[in-house]
Amino acid sequence: MTTEKFAHKIRYYTIDMIIHMGFGHIGGALSIVDCLAVLYAPKEGLLKIDPKHPRWDERDYFVMSKGHAGAALYATLASRDFFDLKILHTLNQPGTILPSHVDRLKTPGVDMTAGSLAQGFGASVGIAIGARLKNKNQKVYCIVGDGELNEGQCWEAIQVAAHQKLNNLIVFVDDNKKQLDGISSDICEAFDFVQKFDAFGWNAIRVDGHDHQQLREQILKAHEQSKPTVIVMTTIKGKGIEFLENINDHHLRIDTDEKQELLNNAKKYYAKKAEL
């Protein structure tokens, strides 16, 4: 399966989950789908994993620091058979293994609990240091939100990673330029992420976060680096559903027939593209 087709599949199941729930963080989930597809796609994916053994000692690690985008990760993991697809409809329900924000103790394939912004980033640095101390040939991948980088804790972790020359750490910034309270630059201007990470001693590049070839090429180049890499992804919040791409809601509630119809149409579109 191509990474593009796998992305269609992730989008289908993410939309299906949110429709079933009636609300959720769909915009920030859809903006990172293409990155997840490049990492997790069967055969073409770059992540070293074994869905039958989620805690395999030799696996690469993935940390979803923006834990509120859990729906996209759950759709990805279920599509790779970490658990049954039917479980997706239990999202955020009592007793579920799929809480709104990711939890490593509940969900097979989730490597780090996140939700409190910035903590996942710091944990990814710790995991990378741990892998090195164990002489493991493992990569640690982390997705962090652009608004999340408002948190000072991130920059402490960024400095430590550079000092330790963690070339087994690859961080993706989901630069969709929107956050809980509005446009990111209106809340707290971040300036140029590439320049900032570069100043901290990282290998820093920017890509189109929806271009699979660019993502794949830069990840492979990162594997050859002698220091940590950040791939700043220019993304669109709600990517793949036109009406979502043009609104600023951080948390969508499906409270009108119009929204329901638009989401159902998108779901049918991605079902066809993914040949489901």
Side-chain angles (χ1 to χ4, degrees), residues 25-252:
H25 296 104
I26 191 170
L30 292 175
S31 62
I32 59 170
V33 163
D34 296 293
C35 180
L36 291 171
V38 171
L39 291 174
Y40 280 93
K43 295 184 180 179
E44 292 190 6
L46 296 175
L47 207 60
K48 185 172 62 177
I49 51 174
D50 181 355
K52 293 182 179 178
H53 302 92
R55 300 295 183 194
W56 177 37
D57 282 345
E58 303 301 322
R59 72 187 186 282
D60 290 333
Y61 283 82
F62 175 80
V63 177
M64 176 73 86
S65 192
K66 45 174 289 181
H68 55 278
L73 181 58
Y74 299 150
T76 303
L77 294 172
S79 296
R80 285 302 316 271
D81 299 323
F82 277 86
F83 52 85
D84 196 306
L85 286 164
K86 294 177 182 176
I87 294 176
L88 293 177
H89 276 190
T90 71
L91 174 68
N92 211 21
Q93 300 291 332
T96 184
I97 66 168
L98 308 179
S100 177
H101 294 63
V102 297
D103 187 330
R104 64 180 294 275
L105 300 179
K106 294 183 180 295
T107 314
V110 170
D111 284 323
M112 190 63 215
T113 302
S116 297
L117 296 178
Q119 292 185 0
F121 197 139
S124 69
V125 172
I127 295 168
I129 292 173
R132 172 184 287 177
L133 290 173
K134 294 177 182 176
N135 292 317
K136 296 283 190 180
N137 182 25
Q138 294 169 303
K139 304 295 183 187
V140 180
Y141 299 89
C142 172
I143 294 182
V144 61
D146 55 345
E148 189 175 358
L149 287 172
N150 289 164
E151 300 282 349
Q153 184 181 147
C154 287
W155 297 95
E156 296 176 36
I158 290 163
Q159 185 171 337
V160 170
H163 176 75
Q164 294 290 336
K165 294 182 170 53
L166 295 178
N167 62 342
N168 58 343
L169 175 63
I170 300 172
V171 170
F172 303 91
V173 177
D174 179 24
D175 192 12
N176 62 39
K177 299 176 176 57
K178 295 178 182 176
Q179 54 183 281
L180 176 63
D181 294 321
I183 303 299
S184 297
S185 58
D186 293 338
I187 307 301
C188 185
E189 177 59 72
F191 300 100
D192 190 304
F193 285 127
V194 171
Q195 290 182 7
K196 290 169 72 173
F197 273 86
D198 180 71
F200 270 76
W202 285 52
N203 172 48
I205 45 93
R206 179 177 285 277
V207 302
D208 178 342
H210 305 300
D211 185 315
H212 291 215
Q213 184 174 350
Q214 285 187 33
L215 283 165
R216 185 180 183 85
E217 286 178 358
Q218 294 304 327
I219 292 169
L220 292 175
K221 286 182 180 178
H223 292 173
E224 307 301 322
Q225 292 292 320
S226 59
K227 53 187 177 180
T229 288
V230 62
I231 299 176
V232 181
M233 305 187 298
T234 300
T235 58
I236 297 172
K237 201 161 191 172
K239 176 65 177 177
I241 304 180
E242 188 174 355
F243 90 94
L244 287 177
E245 295 177 3
N246 296 311
I247 62 176
N248 292 326
D249 286 355
H250 182 74
H251 184 276
L252 179 73

